[in-house]
Amino acid sequence: MTWLSVLAGAALILFILRDVFHTIWHPTRHGGLSRLVMRGVWRLSAHHGERWRPVGLAGPVGMMTVVAVWSLVVATGWGLIYWPHMPEDFSYATGLRPSEHASPVDALYVSLVTLATLGLGDIAPTSGWLRILAPLEALVGFALLSATVAWVLGIYPALARRRALALRLSHLRRGRVPGGSLDCAGGAALLDGLASALATVTVDFLQYAESYYFYDGDEKISLAGQLGHAVGLAGRAERARRPDVRLSGSVLRTALDDLAGVLDERFLRTGGTPEEVFTAYARDHGRRPAQP
């Protein structure tokens, strides 16, 4: 029973550490548990219509839920390791009866106090290997806190870049740029800038997959609702007379194809054309697809 509990606890700890690694420190692969939690929160909130306000909380609430699940499962794992050794291998503060404080709840309490690096000392391990294990748990708790802060600080700049690109496309759409105005050096520069911004957003979706589940309330800053206009600009540029504009249009089309590939592979699973993927993306975010 002792070794079974210890092995189960170690398995839980390793499972969560692997998920943290693949979510935060290995940017080309999203962690399995965190992906399921984020997708679950999104599915519960994102399909109730554009005006349903809680949909805007899906991303932040999803991240908070992921961190809470990580912390609770890690604490439970260490608690399973501590529990079979209580009360024999632990010292208790004056006034505490060891026989009354050796339950799974007490083991979880010790684990949570250690993980949070509180160091209360009312129940502390005395066995040699447990005295080494407890500081290791504190180090994991500190690393988890640091990783969470870095995760949050990375998400919001990615969201700002995505929304800035959407606003730029909205400017071009509302400005009603004439078809012939792209057929010049300025048009080629404009298209190159859009392709560069799309490449950045594509990398953001790879590195911060959780950013997909953040809802953009204003239509003007919603990339899901503005990508159709970028498709239209690429099509117009590819029919231009100037070779530099046609080249820039081809690069923009390739950037759109890459973004569609990432969206479809990681989130939508439509298996369709880039236009179909962008339509599914818009609908998943409660937007009408912009006409090319």
Side-chain angles (χ1 to χ4, degrees), residues 86 101 130-131 136 153 191 206 224-225 255 260:
M86 298 178 72
H101 295 278
L130 287 176
R131 292 176 65 189
L136 289 178
L153 292 179
L191 296 169
L206 288 170

Side-chain angles (χ1 to χ4, degrees), residues 83-92 97-102 126:
W83 177 39
H85 303 279
M86 298 178 72
E88 293 84 2
D89 295 324
F90 285 80
S91 63
Y92 292 79
R97 295 183 179 180
S99 60
E100 296 178 357
H101 295 278
T126 56

